[in-house]
């Protein structure tokens, strides 16, 4: 059960990272196509913060468990 829970947690963190990376790619390749984000730089910054947060959590899980 322990391994299943850890694997699920790690998969969730990896999925969250992939989602934010995809969002940044969309913003970088076509920033005018996202009408509800007038502050593209701010939105990219938020996604980068998400990537850093989930990456840190994944690293801690790998290091300590």
């Amino acid at each position: 059960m322990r391994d299943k829970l850890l694997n699920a947690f790690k998969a969730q963190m990896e999925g969250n990272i992939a989602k934010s990376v995809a969002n940044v790619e969309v913003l970088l390749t076509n920033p005018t196509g996202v009408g509800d984000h007038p502050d593209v730089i701010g939105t990219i910054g938020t996604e980068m913060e998400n990537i850093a947060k989930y990456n840190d959590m994944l690293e801690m899980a790998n290091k300590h468990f």
Side-chain angles (χ1 to χ4, degrees):
M1 180 61 109
R2 180 181 197 274
D3 288 340
K4 285 185 180 184
L5 291 171
L6 283 171
N7 288 339
F9 175 79
K10 291 175 184 181
Q12 184 177 16
M13 294 305 102
E14 290 169 350
N16 289 338
I17 292 167
K19 176 183 173 185
S20 289
V21 167
N23 286 340
V24 171
E25 286 293 335
V26 168
L27 290 165
L28 291 174
T29 58
N30 192 10
T32 58
V34 186
D36 61 334
H37 293 287
D39 181 9
V40 175
I41 299 299
T43 304
I44 290 172
T46 299
E47 293 295 341
M48 292 292 194
E49 288 173 352
N50 289 338
I51 293 167
K53 175 178 75 173
Y54 295 127
N55 186 61
D56 286 349
M57 292 170 72
L58 183 58
E59 284 184 11
M60 289 303 102
N62 286 328
K63 180 178 180 180
H64 295 287
F65 303 100

